[in-house]
Amino acid sequence: MRDDSATPAAPPPDDAASGIGAPPAESSSIRVASAPFSSPAAAASSLSGRTVFVMVFLPFALGHFLSCLMRTVNATLAPQLVAALALTPGELGLLTSAFFLAFALAQLPVGMALDRWGPGTVQPPMLLLAGVGALAFAGGHTFTQLLVARAVIGLGLGGCFMSAVKAISTWIAPARLPSVQGYLIAIGGLGAAAATLPVRMALDYMDWRGLFLWLAAAAALIGFLIRALSPPQPGAARKPALLDAMREVYRHPAFREMAALVLVPHTVFFGIQGLWIGRWLSDVARYSDNAVGYLLYLGMAAVIFGAIAVGMITEWAGRRGVQPIRVAAAGVALFIAVQVGFVCNWRPSYQLLSVLFTLVGTVTGIEYTIVALSLPGALTGRAATCLNLLIFLGAFAVQAGFGLVVGCWRPDVTGHYPAQSYQAAFALLVLLQLPGLIWFVRRAGAIR
């Protein structure tokens, strides 16, 4: 963690201290400073690039991988869950979105804990809690039992991404943050991809209950790795009170501008990608479960490419004087255009629409880069807290609300809901996102 009064410093001249994959410094051992670090660059200079990768990036990225896998796995398991519990679209949406609600409720206490004790101390017990939730889900037999278990999973995984962001913000120089955070989001994309076709293949050898037993074991193992490998956190100055810190974050002009433009699209991306894209491919496009699993896999694989591309484009644009918020605006416009294709029920290529949604939607992850580069370092954990709180509350509302809209129509004799139900739901989402984009365009034009 960094001193409250510090401002982001320029990256150190030693490339080994500037980020992932840099050549190792003369010594790969951790050098503990005698005083608190005053900047990300100072913290980064205490670890070689190789050590940062092995002890900081890799273990926390595995936690984010697991979080994304468990967040999106219900999109693949939906047919089995519906068959086992006779769920309506509204119940399926509520069951799956319980993850987001619990995830959001975890943000405030986790953000405080990260700033006080550091991600290496906070994250392992939370992963153990997620493992307990996975065990409960594997043993659940009623809708209520699975709902509670799903919420416990979300609560336990509520710190995975924030911990990773806090760790890399501490140990990696600011100039490298956009690309390294892009790699982190790409690892999350791998996790989401693992929740599609690989999970579908695993179901040939086990049922969904057995799958969750394996996920529980994975959560415990990753928690152990983080505890064993995470380096000791740099000393930190006294933090402001929670409410004061939250007010400072929400009042910061960069945070408010970013939230107005990107927040709603990000909630749409999380809420739809984690469940309803798969149901749309089944109900509207009428693809088989195997075909849906394959298309979901392609879509999640596209997240990996998209996340890395967004990081690279942001850095490239920054070198040419283009602010990340303008990159975000262009991406949000494309994302809304893709959703208009769903509204119009664009028949020429249902497959292309489903993949484009996840590919273009990755631009919403640029929020974390904007926050990390714009706010004081001492507020990094709580800034991520504020952002995640809003994102996952919104994702809960989107995922549950989408199911309620679709459920306003009756299914046919085969159990498929009509295209009109999805068109109406996507149209509502587009109407919710347009005001933020229009406001930004008008404001940008006024500034010129």
Side-chain angles (χ1 to χ4, degrees):
M1 297 181 197
R2 296 150 292 194
D3 188 85
D4 287 357
S5 61
T7 56
D14 180 8
D15 288 340
S18 64
I20 301 296
E26 295 179 359
S27 171
S28 61
S29 62
I30 301 174
R31 298 192 296 274
V32 180
S34 58
F37 291 115
S38 60
S39 70
S45 66
S46 68
L47 296 178
S48 72
R50 185 175 299 165
T51 303
V52 168
F53 176 78
V54 173
M55 300 183 70
V56 178
F57 182 82
L58 186 58
F60 286 102
L62 287 175
H64 183 48
F65 175 96
L66 181 67
S67 177
C68 291
L69 191 162
M70 297 182 78
R71 188 186 76 219
T72 57
V73 71
N74 276 15
T76 302
L77 298 180
Q80 288 79 14
L81 295 175
V82 169
L85 285 85
L87 301 176
T88 67
E91 290 173 333
L92 179 62
L94 181 60
L95 172 63
T96 305
S97 64
F99 179 100
F100 290 121
L101 180 58
F103 204 104
L105 294 177
Q107 300 311 298
L108 292 179
V110 169
M112 293 176 60
L114 286 176
D115 279 337
R116 182 170 183 179
W117 292 296
T121 301
V122 172
Q123 191 56 26
M126 295 196 67
L127 282 168
L128 290 179
L129 178 61
V132 171
L135 288 175
F137 199 93
H141 293 279
T142 68
F143 171 75
T144 301
Q145 290 173 344
L146 294 184
L147 182 70
V148 172
R150 177 77 173 167
V152 172
I153 293 172
L155 189 65
L157 296 176
C160 284
F161 186 73
M162 280 200 304
S163 293
V165 169
K166 184 67 177 178
I168 66 176
S169 296
T170 299
W171 296 105
I172 294 174
R176 293 285 294 158
L177 281 179
S179 59
V180 175
Q181 288 188 1
Y183 300 146
L184 177 64
I185 295 173
I187 295 296
L190 281 173
T196 57
L197 189 59
V199 165
R200 184 70 196 165
M201 296 172 64
L203 292 176
D204 293 334
Y205 303 94
M206 67 184 78
D207 62 6
W208 59 271
R209 297 182 187 278
L211 175 67
F212 272 88
L213 292 177
W214 281 102
L215 292 175
L221 177 60
I222 295 172
F224 171 78
L225 287 176
I226 290 175
R227 184 62 178 170
L229 296 177
S230 183
Q233 292 296 297
R238 182 178 178 271
K239 301 298 179 184
L242 173 62
L243 292 181
D244 291 339
M246 302 292 277
R247 291 191 193 99
E248 185 175 352
V249 169
Y250 281 119
R251 290 173 179 173
H252 197 287
F255 186 91
R256 296 179 67 169
E257 181 181 47
M258 173 276 301
L261 173 66
V262 192
L263 179 62
V264 176
H266 203 159
T267 66
V268 169
F269 175 61
F270 273 6
I272 301 304
Q273 167 242 352
L275 177 64
W276 294 113
I277 286 293
R279 301 309 297 161
W280 177 84
L281 286 169
S282 177
D283 287 345
V284 178
R286 298 299 180 95
Y287 291 122
S288 67
D289 289 347
N290 287 335
V292 169
Y294 177 71
L295 288 170
L296 290 176
Y297 176 78
L298 289 181
M300 296 304 101
V303 171
I304 303 167
F305 173 80
I308 295 174
V310 168
M312 295 175 64
I313 291 171
T314 303
E315 286 192 1
W316 174 85
R319 291 193 294 268
R320 286 155 180 79
V322 179
Q323 297 176 340
I325 192 70
R326 293 184 177 271
V327 177
V332 167
L334 287 175
F335 187 51
I336 293 175
V338 171
Q339 293 170 66
V340 171
F342 287 91
V343 176
C344 298
N345 198 25
W346 190 45
R347 291 181 179 275
S349 184
Y350 285 142
Q351 304 98 317
L352 182 60
L353 272 181
S354 66
V355 174
L356 281 178
F357 183 89
T358 52
L359 174 65
V360 180
T362 56
V363 75
T364 58
I366 202 173
E367 285 177 308
Y368 297 99
T369 296
I370 296 172
V371 165
L373 294 177
S374 302
L375 273 67
L379 293 175
T380 301
R382 294 179 194 185
T385 294
C386 296
L387 186 55
N388 277 347
L389 177 64
L390 296 174
I391 288 172
F392 287 98
L393 282 176
F396 166 76
V398 166
Q399 198 165 80
F402 196 95
L404 292 176
V405 173
V406 171
C408 291
W409 279 258
R410 291 190 177 186
D412 60 19
V413 292
T414 62
H416 294 291
Y417 283 80
Q420 292 88 343
S421 63
Y422 288 88
Q423 288 176 282
F426 274 109
L428 180 59
L429 295 181
V430 168
L431 291 176
L432 290 174
Q433 295 168 83
L434 278 176
L437 180 61
I438 293 172
W439 173 84
F440 179 83
V441 171
R442 293 181 62 181
R443 181 179 178 277
I447 292 176
R448 288 183 181 180

Short mmCIF file of all heavy atoms in Angstrom, two decimals, residues 234-275:
data_model
loop_
_atom_site.label_atom_id
_atom_site.label_comp_id
_atom_site.label_asym_id
_atom_site.label_seq_id
_atom_site.Cartn_x
_atom_site.Cartn_y
_atom_site.Cartn_z
N PRO A 234 3.88 -3.80 1.86
CA PRO A 234 4.62 -2.64 2.35
C PRO A 234 3.87 -1.96 3.49
O PRO A 234 2.64 -2.06 3.59
CB PRO A 234 4.70 -1.72 1.13
CG PRO A 234 4.41 -2.59 -0.04
CD PRO A 234 3.50 -3.67 0.46
N GLY A 235 4.58 -1.24 4.33
CA GLY A 235 3.94 -0.49 5.40
C GLY A 235 2.99 0.54 4.83
O GLY A 235 3.16 1.03 3.73
N ALA A 236 1.97 0.89 5.59
CA ALA A 236 0.97 1.84 5.11
C ALA A 236 0.70 2.89 6.16
O ALA A 236 0.73 2.63 7.35
CB ALA A 236 -0.34 1.10 4.79
N ALA A 237 0.45 4.08 5.68
CA ALA A 237 0.07 5.16 6.59
C ALA A 237 -1.38 4.98 7.02
O ALA A 237 -2.12 4.19 6.46
CB ALA A 237 0.24 6.50 5.90
N ARG A 238 -1.78 5.71 8.03
CA ARG A 238 -3.15 5.60 8.53
C ARG A 238 -4.15 5.99 7.45
O ARG A 238 -3.99 6.98 6.76
CB ARG A 238 -3.32 6.54 9.74
CG ARG A 238 -4.70 6.47 10.38
CD ARG A 238 -4.77 7.39 11.58
NE ARG A 238 -6.09 7.37 12.17
CZ ARG A 238 -7.07 8.18 11.79
NH1 ARG A 238 -6.87 9.06 10.81
NH2 ARG A 238 -8.25 8.12 12.37
N LYS A 239 -5.20 5.18 7.32
CA LYS A 239 -6.21 5.41 6.29
C LYS A 239 -7.32 6.31 6.81
O LYS A 239 -7.62 6.32 8.00
CB LYS A 239 -6.82 4.07 5.86
CG LYS A 239 -5.80 3.09 5.31
CD LYS A 239 -5.14 3.62 4.07
CE LYS A 239 -4.10 2.63 3.56
NZ LYS A 239 -3.38 3.17 2.40
N PRO A 240 -7.97 7.05 5.91
CA PRO A 240 -9.11 7.84 6.33
C PRO A 240 -10.27 6.95 6.75
O PRO A 240 -10.32 5.78 6.39
CB PRO A 240 -9.45 8.65 5.07
CG PRO A 240 -8.90 7.85 3.95
CD PRO A 240 -7.67 7.19 4.48
N ALA A 241 -11.19 7.50 7.52
CA ALA A 241 -12.37 6.75 7.93
C ALA A 241 -13.14 6.27 6.71
O ALA A 241 -13.08 6.87 5.63
CB ALA A 241 -13.26 7.61 8.81
N LEU A 242 -13.88 5.16 6.87
CA LEU A 242 -14.56 4.54 5.74
C LEU A 242 -15.47 5.52 5.02
O LEU A 242 -15.38 5.69 3.80
CB LEU A 242 -15.38 3.33 6.23
CG LEU A 242 -16.28 2.68 5.17
CD1 LEU A 242 -15.47 2.14 4.03
CD2 LEU A 242 -17.15 1.60 5.80
N LEU A 243 -16.37 6.17 5.75
CA LEU A 243 -17.32 7.07 5.08
C LEU A 243 -16.61 8.21 4.39
O LEU A 243 -17.00 8.62 3.29
CB LEU A 243 -18.34 7.59 6.10
CG LEU A 243 -19.32 6.55 6.66
CD1 LEU A 243 -20.29 7.22 7.63
CD2 LEU A 243 -20.10 5.88 5.53
N ASP A 244 -15.56 8.75 5.01
CA ASP A 244 -14.81 9.82 4.37
C ASP A 244 -14.16 9.33 3.08
O ASP A 244 -14.15 10.04 2.07
CB ASP A 244 -13.73 10.35 5.32
CG ASP A 244 -14.33 11.09 6.51
OD1 ASP A 244 -15.50 11.54 6.39
OD2 ASP A 244 -13.65 11.21 7.55
N ALA A 245 -13.58 8.12 3.14
CA ALA A 245 -12.94 7.57 1.95
C ALA A 245 -13.96 7.32 0.84
O ALA A 245 -13.71 7.61 -0.34
CB ALA A 245 -12.21 6.28 2.30
N MET A 246 -15.14 6.78 1.21
CA MET A 246 -16.16 6.51 0.21
C MET A 246 -16.67 7.81 -0.43
O MET A 246 -16.87 7.89 -1.63
CB MET A 246 -17.33 5.75 0.85
CG MET A 246 -16.95 4.43 1.48
SD MET A 246 -16.44 3.18 0.29
CE MET A 246 -18.02 2.56 -0.22
N ARG A 247 -16.86 8.82 0.40
CA ARG A 247 -17.29 10.11 -0.15
C ARG A 247 -16.24 10.65 -1.11
O ARG A 247 -16.58 11.20 -2.17
CB ARG A 247 -17.54 11.11 0.98
CG ARG A 247 -18.74 10.81 1.84
CD ARG A 247 -19.06 12.00 2.75
NE ARG A 247 -20.01 11.64 3.79
CZ ARG A 247 -19.67 11.34 5.04
NH1 ARG A 247 -18.39 11.39 5.40
NH2 ARG A 247 -20.58 11.01 5.93
N GLU A 248 -14.99 10.53 -0.72
CA GLU A 248 -13.92 11.04 -1.59
C GLU A 248 -13.91 10.32 -2.93
O GLU A 248 -13.72 10.94 -3.98
CB GLU A 248 -12.56 10.89 -0.90
CG GLU A 248 -11.41 11.50 -1.69
CD GLU A 248 -10.10 11.44 -0.94
OE1 GLU A 248 -10.10 11.06 0.26
OE2 GLU A 248 -9.07 11.77 -1.55
N VAL A 249 -14.12 9.01 -2.90
CA VAL A 249 -14.15 8.24 -4.14
C VAL A 249 -15.33 8.66 -5.00
O VAL A 249 -15.18 8.96 -6.20
CB VAL A 249 -14.21 6.73 -3.83
CG1 VAL A 249 -14.52 5.94 -5.09
CG2 VAL A 249 -12.90 6.26 -3.22
N TYR A 250 -16.52 8.69 -4.43
CA TYR A 250 -17.72 8.99 -5.21
C TYR A 250 -17.73 10.44 -5.73
O TYR A 250 -18.34 10.73 -6.76
CB TYR A 250 -18.98 8.73 -4.39
CG TYR A 250 -19.36 7.28 -4.30
CD1 TYR A 250 -19.42 6.61 -3.08
CD2 TYR A 250 -19.65 6.54 -5.45
CE1 TYR A 250 -19.75 5.26 -3.00
CE2 TYR A 250 -19.99 5.21 -5.39
CZ TYR A 250 -20.04 4.57 -4.16
OH TYR A 250 -20.38 3.24 -4.09
N ARG A 251 -17.07 11.34 -5.01
CA ARG A 251 -17.04 12.74 -5.43
C ARG A 251 -15.94 13.05 -6.43
O ARG A 251 -15.93 14.12 -7.01
CB ARG A 251 -16.89 13.65 -4.20
CG ARG A 251 -18.11 13.68 -3.30
CD ARG A 251 -17.84 14.46 -2.02
NE ARG A 251 -19.01 14.53 -1.16
CZ ARG A 251 -19.00 15.03 0.07
NH1 ARG A 251 -17.86 15.52 0.57
NH2 ARG A 251 -20.10 15.05 0.80
N HIS A 252 -15.03 12.12 -6.61
CA HIS A 252 -13.91 12.37 -7.51
C HIS A 252 -14.45 12.50 -8.94
O HIS A 252 -15.19 11.64 -9.42
CB HIS A 252 -12.90 11.22 -7.43
CG HIS A 252 -11.56 11.55 -7.99
ND1 HIS A 252 -11.33 11.67 -9.33
CD2 HIS A 252 -10.39 11.83 -7.37
CE1 HIS A 252 -10.06 11.99 -9.54
NE2 HIS A 252 -9.46 12.08 -8.35
N PRO A 253 -14.10 13.58 -9.66
CA PRO A 253 -14.66 13.80 -11.01
C PRO A 253 -14.41 12.64 -11.96
O PRO A 253 -15.30 12.27 -12.73
CB PRO A 253 -13.94 15.08 -11.47
CG PRO A 253 -13.54 15.77 -10.22
CD PRO A 253 -13.23 14.70 -9.22
N ALA A 254 -13.21 12.06 -11.92
CA ALA A 254 -12.90 10.96 -12.84
C ALA A 254 -13.79 9.74 -12.55
O ALA A 254 -14.25 9.07 -13.48
CB ALA A 254 -11.42 10.58 -12.72
N PHE A 255 -14.03 9.46 -11.28
CA PHE A 255 -14.89 8.32 -10.92
C PHE A 255 -16.32 8.56 -11.39
O PHE A 255 -16.95 7.67 -11.98
CB PHE A 255 -14.86 8.09 -9.41
CG PHE A 255 -15.60 6.86 -8.98
CD1 PHE A 255 -14.94 5.65 -8.86
CD2 PHE A 255 -16.96 6.90 -8.69
CE1 PHE A 255 -15.62 4.50 -8.47
CE2 PHE A 255 -17.64 5.77 -8.30
CZ PHE A 255 -16.97 4.56 -8.19
N ARG A 256 -16.83 9.75 -11.19
CA ARG A 256 -18.21 10.03 -11.57
C ARG A 256 -18.38 10.03 -13.09
O ARG A 256 -19.39 9.54 -13.61
CB ARG A 256 -18.63 11.37 -10.97
CG ARG A 256 -18.63 11.35 -9.44
CD ARG A 256 -19.01 12.68 -8.84
NE ARG A 256 -20.40 13.01 -9.11
CZ ARG A 256 -21.05 14.01 -8.53
NH1 ARG A 256 -20.43 14.76 -7.62
NH2 ARG A 256 -22.30 14.25 -8.82
N GLU A 257 -17.41 10.56 -13.80
CA GLU A 257 -17.49 10.55 -15.26
C GLU A 257 -17.45 9.13 -15.79
O GLU A 257 -18.24 8.76 -16.68
CB GLU A 257 -16.33 11.36 -15.84
CG GLU A 257 -16.35 11.44 -17.37
CD GLU A 257 -15.17 12.23 -17.91
OE1 GLU A 257 -14.03 11.96 -17.47
OE2 GLU A 257 -15.38 13.10 -18.77
N MET A 258 -16.55 8.32 -15.25
CA MET A 258 -16.45 6.94 -15.67
C MET A 258 -17.73 6.17 -15.36
O MET A 258 -18.24 5.42 -16.20
CB MET A 258 -15.25 6.29 -14.97
CG MET A 258 -15.10 4.79 -15.15
SD MET A 258 -16.11 3.85 -13.98
CE MET A 258 -15.48 4.43 -12.44
N ALA A 259 -18.28 6.35 -14.16
CA ALA A 259 -19.48 5.61 -13.77
C ALA A 259 -20.67 5.97 -14.65
O ALA A 259 -21.45 5.10 -15.03
CB ALA A 259 -19.80 5.89 -12.30
N ALA A 260 -20.80 7.25 -14.98
CA ALA A 260 -21.93 7.68 -15.81
C ALA A 260 -21.90 7.03 -17.19
O ALA A 260 -22.94 6.72 -17.77
CB ALA A 260 -21.92 9.21 -15.95
N LEU A 261 -20.70 6.80 -17.72
CA LEU A 261 -20.57 6.25 -19.06
C LEU A 261 -20.56 4.73 -19.09
O LEU A 261 -21.25 4.11 -19.90
CB LEU A 261 -19.28 6.78 -19.71
CG LEU A 261 -18.90 6.17 -21.07
CD1 LEU A 261 -19.94 6.56 -22.12
CD2 LEU A 261 -17.51 6.62 -21.48
N VAL A 262 -19.79 4.10 -18.21
CA VAL A 262 -19.47 2.68 -18.36
C VAL A 262 -20.21 1.77 -17.37
O VAL A 262 -20.34 0.58 -17.61
CB VAL A 262 -17.93 2.46 -18.21
CG1 VAL A 262 -17.55 1.06 -18.64
CG2 VAL A 262 -17.16 3.47 -19.03
N LEU A 263 -20.70 2.32 -16.27
CA LEU A 263 -21.24 1.47 -15.22
C LEU A 263 -22.40 0.60 -15.70
O LEU A 263 -22.41 -0.62 -15.50
CB LEU A 263 -21.68 2.32 -14.03
CG LEU A 263 -22.30 1.56 -12.87
CD1 LEU A 263 -21.29 0.58 -12.27
CD2 LEU A 263 -22.81 2.51 -11.80
N VAL A 264 -23.42 1.20 -16.31
CA VAL A 264 -24.58 0.42 -16.74
C VAL A 264 -24.20 -0.62 -17.80
O VAL A 264 -24.60 -1.79 -17.70
CB VAL A 264 -25.72 1.34 -17.23
CG1 VAL A 264 -26.88 0.50 -17.77
CG2 VAL A 264 -26.20 2.23 -16.09
N PRO A 265 -23.41 -0.25 -18.83
CA PRO A 265 -22.98 -1.29 -19.77
C PRO A 265 -22.22 -2.44 -19.10
O PRO A 265 -22.36 -3.60 -19.50
CB PRO A 265 -22.07 -0.52 -20.75
CG PRO A 265 -22.60 0.87 -20.73
CD PRO A 265 -23.02 1.09 -19.30
N HIS A 266 -21.43 -2.13 -18.07
CA HIS A 266 -20.69 -3.20 -17.38
C HIS A 266 -21.66 -4.13 -16.65
O HIS A 266 -21.48 -5.36 -16.65
CB HIS A 266 -19.71 -2.58 -16.38
CG HIS A 266 -18.57 -3.48 -16.04
ND1 HIS A 266 -17.38 -3.03 -15.53
CD2 HIS A 266 -18.43 -4.83 -16.12
CE1 HIS A 266 -16.57 -4.04 -15.32
NE2 HIS A 266 -17.19 -5.15 -15.67
N THR A 267 -22.69 -3.58 -16.02
CA THR A 267 -23.66 -4.44 -15.35
C THR A 267 -24.42 -5.30 -16.36
O THR A 267 -24.73 -6.46 -16.08
CB THR A 267 -24.66 -3.60 -14.53
OG1 THR A 267 -25.46 -2.80 -15.41
CG2 THR A 267 -23.95 -2.70 -13.54
N VAL A 268 -24.70 -4.74 -17.52
CA VAL A 268 -25.36 -5.51 -18.58
C VAL A 268 -24.47 -6.65 -19.06
O VAL A 268 -24.92 -7.79 -19.23
CB VAL A 268 -25.75 -4.59 -19.75
CG1 VAL A 268 -26.20 -5.40 -20.97
CG2 VAL A 268 -26.86 -3.63 -19.33
N PHE A 269 -23.20 -6.34 -19.26
CA PHE A 269 -22.25 -7.36 -19.72
C PHE A 269 -22.19 -8.52 -18.73
O PHE A 269 -22.31 -9.70 -19.12
CB PHE A 269 -20.87 -6.73 -19.90
CG PHE A 269 -19.79 -7.71 -20.26
CD1 PHE A 269 -19.86 -8.45 -21.43
CD2 PHE A 269 -18.69 -7.90 -19.43
CE1 PHE A 269 -18.87 -9.36 -21.78
CE2 PHE A 269 -17.70 -8.80 -19.76
CZ PHE A 269 -17.78 -9.53 -20.94
N PHE A 270 -22.01 -8.22 -17.45
CA PHE A 270 -21.93 -9.28 -16.45
C PHE A 270 -23.25 -10.05 -16.32
O PHE A 270 -23.26 -11.28 -16.25
CB PHE A 270 -21.54 -8.69 -15.09
CG PHE A 270 -20.06 -8.57 -14.87
CD1 PHE A 270 -19.16 -8.84 -15.88
CD2 PHE A 270 -19.57 -8.18 -13.63
CE1 PHE A 270 -17.80 -8.74 -15.68
CE2 PHE A 270 -18.21 -8.07 -13.42
CZ PHE A 270 -17.32 -8.34 -14.44
N GLY A 271 -24.36 -9.31 -16.26
CA GLY A 271 -25.64 -9.95 -16.01
C GLY A 271 -26.09 -10.85 -17.14
O GLY A 271 -26.67 -11.93 -16.91
N ILE A 272 -25.84 -10.44 -18.40
CA ILE A 272 -26.31 -11.22 -19.55
C ILE A 272 -25.33 -12.31 -19.93
O ILE A 272 -25.72 -13.44 -20.21
CB ILE A 272 -26.56 -10.27 -20.75
CG1 ILE A 272 -27.59 -9.21 -20.37
CG2 ILE A 272 -27.01 -11.07 -21.97
CD1 ILE A 272 -28.91 -9.77 -19.89
N GLN A 273 -24.05 -11.99 -19.91
CA GLN A 273 -23.03 -12.96 -20.31
C GLN A 273 -23.03 -14.18 -19.40
O GLN A 273 -22.79 -15.30 -19.84
CB GLN A 273 -21.66 -12.27 -20.29
CG GLN A 273 -20.48 -13.20 -20.37
CD GLN A 273 -19.60 -13.11 -19.13
OE1 GLN A 273 -19.78 -12.25 -18.27
NE2 GLN A 273 -18.66 -14.02 -19.01
N GLY A 274 -23.34 -14.00 -18.12
CA GLY A 274 -23.27 -15.10 -17.17
C GLY A 274 -24.44 -16.05 -17.19
O GLY A 274 -24.40 -17.07 -16.50
N LEU A 275 -25.49 -15.77 -17.98
CA LEU A 275 -26.65 -16.66 -17.99
C LEU A 275 -27.46 -16.58 -19.28
O LEU A 275 -27.68 -17.59 -19.96
CB LEU A 275 -27.57 -16.35 -16.80
CG LEU A 275 -28.87 -17.16 -16.73
CD1 LEU A 275 -28.56 -18.64 -16.54
CD2 LEU A 275 -29.75 -16.65 -15.58
#
